[in-house]
């Protein structure tokens, strides 16, 4: 469908007229080839971190596997050729104590004074590890408990090795992780678990002791997983870049002395659910906010890479846990289509800057979740708006199975902080362009902030490299507005649980199959309704 006809169709779909808003006076140039330092993703890039206590909900067990969750993972794998990498961890990783006599997967006690969202007293049994057997063709990062250092907890750690390694044999293991956010161990608002004198060297000494003990247990239970090639970790999994432990000092103090760190993992949240002044437009739908947040991670990555070679610092740098607002997000912000658009910009800004994998954190009843895996008295089972952002990122990156044809991703600067654009190149040639329009537009009935004017349409003009002419497909990420929590589609498809258990279902009332024609002069014009995104596919 020609792009010139889009406005009329949008008006018919919305049931109202639209307002045109011409964007910039001159075409924005798109480089012919990737610029120096262009980002290249790991295989896979789109990944998830699932709260340790929630994992049985998300995956199920052998008698009741969660096929809905698996369908959503398969959808993403269909775009990239490889399913998301699943990290099982989070705060509850360091509350979970293994008891080989427990006949259920998990027993948890919620202490609302510590957190109303997850249990903080947790015992797991052998059945817990059945959840690793329910999703075909999926690899995992298993998080061991470092936080609890009682005799019972330490013995439980070693006892658990035989059970978890058996579950992860046969190609399911990607990496191990020991401890979640140890840089908060002596300052945690939920109660410190280390003394105030505990420092980087203390952490390194503990980490080395227990990673060696785990390996010893592996050599008995699963020797194939104890080899130098396969015995690898995500580390140090700090909560951020400026807490009570310094990541640079940690490496200098010998974290990777045994050369078993494969991936440098850090955690990042844009802000907090209860932080005053947090808004959808100013905090999430805001490219400047994303750039400022990630700048601290990029500085850490640069400083690590500059360490002496014998410290082995030149490892891939990723976000092993991240999402919009810490403390599980805020309703009306983290679960909206605006947060979906934020997620697209956030992930692509990361990959464009060589943060090579991003694990979006999930949990049962969490406000920023991509999907709710089970029905509870708090949250309905279903696909949530942020999942569609995961889909758009996967679609933009495309096939990641061929190491020789991984995309190079470049940010294209735009004038406003309420918009972002990226291009990808495959084999040195322009492959895709995405534009993310983040001007807030609220359309939900009954919302005190609902806009009472027709939804503006913003025009973007790009000057493409020489030879970029022809007719190309256009795919849109859309919803009724930035405050929408339902009715989201990507390229005309819904992934709602209610329609087809999370599998793609074409929506007849949504325009798809659009194309855009580009002449020999290489000028591309796109029109985007406020609060939406579009991908143009050149290859």
């Amino acid at each position: 469908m020609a792009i010139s006809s889009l406005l009329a169709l949008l008006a018919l779909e919305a049931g109202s007229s639209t307002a045109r808003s011409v964007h910039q006076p001159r075409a924005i140039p798109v480089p012919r080839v990737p610029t120096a330092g262009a980002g290249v993703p790991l295989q896979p890039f789109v990944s998830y971190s699932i709260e340790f206590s929630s994992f049985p909900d998300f995956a199920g067990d052998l008698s009741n596997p969660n096929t809905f969750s698996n369908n959503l993972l398969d959808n993403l794998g269909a775009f990239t050729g490889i399913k998301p990498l699943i990290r099982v961890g989070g705060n509850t990783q360091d509350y979970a104590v293994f008891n080989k006599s427990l006949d259920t997967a998990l027993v948890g006690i919620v202490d609302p004074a510590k957190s109303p969202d997850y249990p903080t007293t947790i015992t797991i049994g052998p059945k817990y590890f059945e959840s690793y057997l329910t999703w075909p063709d999926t690899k995992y990062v298993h998080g061991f408990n470092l936080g609890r250092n009682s005799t019972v907890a330490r013995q439980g750690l070693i006892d658990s090795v035989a059970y978890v390694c058996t579950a992860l044999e046969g190609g399911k293991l990607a990496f191990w992780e020991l401890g979640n956010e140890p840089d908060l161990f002596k300052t945690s608002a939920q109660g410190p678990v280390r003394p105030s004198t505990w420092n980087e060297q203390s952490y390194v000494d503990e980490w080395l002791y227990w990673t060696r003990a785990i390996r010893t247990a592996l050599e008995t239970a699963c020797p194939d997983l104890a080899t130098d090639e396969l015995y690898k970790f995500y580390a140090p999994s700090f909560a951020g870049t400026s807490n009570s432990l310094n990541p640079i000092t940690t490496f200098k103090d010998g974290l990777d002395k045994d050369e078993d760190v494969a991936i440098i993992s850090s955690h990042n949240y844009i802000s907090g659910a209860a932080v005053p002044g947090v808004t959808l437009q100013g905090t999430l739908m805001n490219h400047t906010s994303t750039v400022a947040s990630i700048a601290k991670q990029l500085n850490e990555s640069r400083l690590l890479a500059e360490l002496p070679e014998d410290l082995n610092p030149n490892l891939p740098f990723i976000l092993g846990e991240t999402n919009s607002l810490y403390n599980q997000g805020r309703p009306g912000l983290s679960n909206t289509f605006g947060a979906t658009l934020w997620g697209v910009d956030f992930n692509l800004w990361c990959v464009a800057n060589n943060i090579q994998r991003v694990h979006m954190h999930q949990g049962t009843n969490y406000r920023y979740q991509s999907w709710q895996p089970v029905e509870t008295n708090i949250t309905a089972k279903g696909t949530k708006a942020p999942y569609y952002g995961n889909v758009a990122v996967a679609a933009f990156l495309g096939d990641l199975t061929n190491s020789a044809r991984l995309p190079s991703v470049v940010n294209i600067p735009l004038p406003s902080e309420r918009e972002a654009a990226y291009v990808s190149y495959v084999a040195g040639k322009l492959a895709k362009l995405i534009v993310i329009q983040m001007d807030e537009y609220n359309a939900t009935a009954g919302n005190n902030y609902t806009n009472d004017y027709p939804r503006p349409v913003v025009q973007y003009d790009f000057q493409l490299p020489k030879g970029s002419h022809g007719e190309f497909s256009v795919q849109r990420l859309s919803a009724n507005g930035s405050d929408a929590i339902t009715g989201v589609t990507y390229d005309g498809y819904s992934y709602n649980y209610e329609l087809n258990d999370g599998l793609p279902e074409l929506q007849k009332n949504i325009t798809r199959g659009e194309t855009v024609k580009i002449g020999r002069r290489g000028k591309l014009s796109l029109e985007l309704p406020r609060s939406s995104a579009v991908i143009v596919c050149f290859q």
Side-chain angles (χ1 to χ4, degrees):
M1 181 175 295
I3 200 75
S4 58
S5 66
L6 175 62
L7 286 177
L9 286 169
L10 286 170
L12 287 172
E13 290 175 289
S16 64
S17 62
T18 56
R20 184 186 299 271
S21 172
V22 177
H23 184 65
Q24 77 284 334
R26 294 194 302 176
I28 299 164
V30 173
R32 183 177 62 85
V33 295
T35 54
V40 178
L42 289 173
Q43 304 160 280
F45 174 81
V46 175
S47 296
Y48 291 110
S49 165
I50 297 180
E51 189 65 56
F52 197 94
S53 62
S54 298
F55 183 50
D57 289 341
F58 276 80
D61 56 30
L62 288 176
S63 62
N64 188 27
N66 194 316
T67 56
F68 167 52
S69 291
N70 188 60
N71 287 343
L72 296 181
L73 299 177
D74 279 342
N75 296 336
L76 298 168
F79 287 104
T80 64
I82 183 169
K83 289 172 78 169
L85 179 59
I86 306 299
R87 175 230 182 198
V88 180
N91 282 356
T92 55
Q93 163 186 344
D94 282 319
Y95 289 121
V97 176
F98 178 74
N99 181 346
K100 60 186 178 183
S101 299
L102 187 69
D103 58 4
T104 60
L106 183 148
V107 175
I109 300 172
V110 175
D111 179 355
K114 291 184 176 180
S115 174
D117 293 313
Y118 50 73
T120 52
T121 300
I122 301 173
T123 306
I124 61 170
K127 191 173 174 60
Y128 179 91
F129 303 109
E130 272 193 28
S131 295
Y132 282 121
L133 304 176
T134 64
W135 292 341
D137 304 315
T138 304
K139 289 181 177 290
Y140 298 91
V141 179
H142 174 76
F144 288 113
N145 180 343
L146 181 66
R148 291 294 170 271
N149 58 357
S150 67
T151 301
V152 171
R154 296 300 89 200
Q155 186 59 51
L157 164 64
I158 299 304
D159 288 346
S160 73
V161 172
Y163 294 90
V164 66
C165 76
T166 301
L168 293 176
E169 283 186 311
K172 287 183 172 290
L173 174 67
F175 304 101
W176 304 106
E177 182 182 57
L178 177 61
N180 175 74
E181 301 179 352
D183 54 330
L184 301 182
F185 277 7
K186 63 181 182 182
T187 60
S188 173
Q190 295 177 347
V193 294
R194 294 295 186 277
S196 60
T197 55
W198 199 69
N199 58 21
E200 289 86 355
Q201 190 63 66
S202 307
Y203 162 63
V204 168
D205 291 345
E206 256 188 77
W207 197 86
L208 290 173
Y209 181 88
W210 289 107
T211 54
R212 290 166 181 171
I214 292 167
R215 187 169 191 173
T216 298
L218 266 183
E219 287 168 345
T220 299
C222 304
D224 289 349
L225 299 183
T227 63
D228 289 345
E229 179 184 2
L230 293 181
Y231 191 65
K232 298 294 183 181
F233 280 80
Y234 271 18
S237 305
F238 284 178
T241 61
S242 57
N243 295 307
S244 70
L245 300 182
N246 182 293
I248 312 304
T249 304
T250 298
F251 269 84
K252 287 181 178 179
D253 284 347
L255 182 70
D256 199 22
K257 183 177 181 179
D258 294 343
E259 297 187 356
D260 53 8
V261 177
I263 304 282
I264 298 173
S265 175
S266 186
H267 297 179
N268 194 91
Y269 288 86
I270 292 291
S271 189
V275 172
V278 169
T279 65
L280 191 58
Q281 183 71 83
T283 309
L284 297 183
M285 297 175 67
N286 188 297
H287 184 67
T288 299
S289 174
T290 291
V291 170
S293 181
I294 293 302
K296 294 173 284 188
Q297 301 287 349
L298 296 178
N299 183 58
E300 176 185 316
S301 175
R302 177 183 60 81
L303 292 173
L304 285 167
E306 291 174 355
L307 289 173
E309 195 63 33
D310 64 331
L311 297 177
N312 199 27
N314 197 23
L315 297 168
F317 187 93
I318 69 158
L319 296 183
E321 178 184 320
T322 189
N323 216 303
S324 57
L325 305 175
Y326 62 78
N327 290 339
Q328 295 70 251
R330 185 194 295 182
L333 296 180
S334 301
N335 61 338
T336 66
F337 185 62
T340 304
L341 297 172
W342 163 81
V344 178
D345 184 30
F346 179 85
N347 276 265
L348 294 182
W349 180 253
C350 285
V351 69
N353 286 278
N354 276 303
I355 294 177
Q356 294 183 278
R357 177 178 293 142
V358 173
H359 290 259
M360 301 300 287
H361 196 52
Q362 311 296 313
T364 305
N365 299 328
Y366 287 11
R367 276 68 68 191
Y368 52 48
Q369 62 186 185
S370 292
W371 73 97
Q372 169 76 356
V374 294
E375 193 79 19
T376 71
N377 60 359
I378 298 173
T379 307
K381 182 177 180 179
T383 312
K384 308 303 179 182
Y387 176 76
Y388 292 84
N390 310 150
V391 168
V393 172
F396 177 76
L397 293 177
D399 185 10
L400 299 181
T401 59
N402 186 343
S403 297
R405 292 182 58 83
L406 292 176
S408 298
V409 180
V410 176
N411 172 253
I412 302 296
L414 297 182
S416 170
E417 65 181 12
R418 299 181 178 186
E419 57 196 1
Y422 301 86
V423 288
S424 70
Y425 301 83
V426 174
K429 296 182 179 180
L430 185 64
K432 291 175 184 173
L433 163 74
I434 185 170
V435 182
I436 309 155
Q437 212 303 313
M438 293 184 286
D439 275 304
E440 196 170 26
Y441 184 80
N442 296 322
T444 302
N447 186 333
N448 292 333
Y449 303 99
T450 300
N451 298 123
D452 59 359
Y453 51 83
R455 189 173 187 173
V457 173
V458 183
Q459 179 174 316
Y460 292 84
D461 296 324
F462 295 92
Q463 182 60 54
L464 301 182
K466 184 178 179 181
S468 302
H469 59 271
E471 188 170 2
F472 304 103
S473 68
V474 174
Q475 299 171 356
R476 295 185 179 270
L477 176 63
S478 58
N480 284 339
S482 53
D483 59 343
I485 60 173
T486 60
V488 185
T489 58
Y490 177 76
D491 194 31
Y493 284 93
S494 170
Y495 297 90
N496 277 4
Y497 166 69
E498 298 84 358
L499 296 178
N500 195 10
D501 201 26
L503 293 172
E505 191 77 10
L506 184 62
Q507 302 300 286
K508 297 179 181 179
N509 62 333
I510 303 296
T511 301
R512 71 177 305 270
E514 299 175 51
T515 60
V516 58
K517 291 183 178 180
I518 301 172
R520 293 191 174 275
R521 293 185 177 181
K523 185 177 179 181
L524 167 65
S525 292
L526 295 170
E527 292 176 327
L528 276 74
R530 278 190 181 177
S531 300
S532 68
V534 65
I535 294 176
V536 181
C537 303
F538 303 105
Q539 291 190 29

